[in-house]
Each structure stands twice: as C-alpha cells, then as structure tokens.
Amino acid sequence: TNAFVNALAEAISRYIGTTRMAGVIQEYRDVSTNKVIGFAHEVSKGRTTRGQWFYCDDYAAKHYVWFHSVLDLVRRAIEDDRIDVVDLGPSGSDAFTDLKAQYGFEAVVDWPAVADYSGDFLYEEDQNEDELGDDMIRMIEKLVERQAARDKRRKSD
C-alpha cells in the first residue's frame, strides 16, 4: 500500500507542478487505446515560444510525437503576430542537434541574442478561466479520506 501511495503522490506532484507552470499542455494520445503517450509543455513569453516534450515510455517515443508537436508549434507561432522565434530548447546530444538541423533549426549557443524572452507571458484567450488543479486537489482529498476509512475498518476487524 505504501509503494502505491508513494507512486501516486509522485505522479500527482508532477502533474500539479506541470499544470501550475506558465504555458499550455498539449496531450498526445494513442489513437487505438486513447492512452496518453506523451505531452508537450509550451510557454510563450516576450516574442518567443518554447516547447518541451515528455514521453510516457519508449513505445511512445517511437510514434513521432515530437515531429507532429514541432510542426504544430511552428504553425501556431507563424499564425501569431506576437511571436518571432520558436525555441526548441537544448538538444542534449549531437544526434538531436543534427535531427533539428535536418528540419531547418539552427543550433544557437547565444540563444538570448536570438530568442527575445523579455516581456510578459502570453496566454490563449480564456486560458485561465478554470483552475484544473482544484479538481485534482478534491480528488486527492477523497482518495486520502477513502484510505483513512479503509485503515480504520481494518483496525476494527
């Protein structure tokens, strides 16, 4: 039970941390199972938008989510008059730098000279209308209450 609770707490903590950051989360799902296979966390600030990608497992990493995500991020940046630069972030390896270069992205060492992050965070219209985290907190509270009730029943048995 402790291992499950610890794993659940870690997953919830990461979810809340990510959803509380500035920006937008784009989920990517497997079309046959509807399982989330990855997500992109996108932030726009100043005249720059930046994407970060997260895969749920190795299977997901092989389904070209990154390519679709970059294509969509660049398309939306082109359509937004407030954005001049798409920052794909650090590559982490020469192979990834080479992959980005294949698709027209330059590796930039002095990125502040190119990517203007000065200015406000940019949000989509009505982006912060509802606090999604509030629903998550209520769910966590109910889970904790249920666990406490189960523990109490077990002790009385």
Side-chain angles (χ1 to χ4, degrees):
T1 300
N2 279 346
F4 171 76
V5 171
N6 288 340
L8 180 62
E10 180 68 23
I12 291 169
S13 172
R14 288 182 183 183
Y15 171 84
I16 290 174
T18 302
T19 59
R20 291 289 187 222
M21 291 181 193
V24 177
I25 302 295
Q26 305 287 347
E27 283 186 351
Y28 293 88
R29 295 178 176 270
D30 182 285
V31 293
S32 59
T33 64
N34 203 33
K35 174 186 166 191
V36 174
I37 59 172
F39 66 93
H41 178 216
E42 301 170 356
V43 178
S44 296
K45 186 173 189 311
R47 302 207 46 88
T48 302
T49 192
R50 178 170 181 179
Q52 299 180 83
W53 295 270
F54 303 89
Y55 294 112
C56 296
D57 54 31
D58 290 339
Y59 169 83
K62 296 174 184 169
H63 281 79
Y64 304 102
V65 171
W66 182 81
F67 294 97
H68 178 274
S69 180
V70 169
L71 179 68
D72 192 48
L73 180 66
V74 170
R75 179 192 53 77
R76 285 182 280 114
I78 290 168
E79 292 171 356
D80 191 332
D81 293 334
R82 302 171 297 175
I83 302 297
D84 293 329
V85 173
V86 173
D87 180 354
L88 299 184
S91 295
S93 72
D94 289 339
F96 205 60
T97 298
D98 293 343
L99 177 65
K100 288 178 182 179
Q102 275 185 289
Y103 294 95
F105 291 93
E106 287 182 42
V108 176
V109 176
D110 185 15
W111 60 265
V114 176
D116 180 5
Y117 279 101
S118 61
D120 294 330
F121 285 100
L122 305 177
Y123 295 97
E124 295 173 359
E125 189 175 327
D126 301 328
Q127 179 177 336
N128 295 322
E129 289 280 312
D130 297 320
E131 286 292 328
L132 296 175
D134 293 342
D135 291 337
M136 181 63 78
I137 290 168
R138 282 191 289 280
M139 184 179 77
I140 293 167
E141 289 169 348
K142 287 185 185 228
L143 285 170
V144 170
E145 288 171 12
R146 286 176 66 184
Q147 186 64 40
R150 284 184 188 142
D151 290 345
K152 186 176 179 182
R153 280 194 310 271
R154 287 182 183 147
K155 286 180 184 177
S156 67
D157 289 345

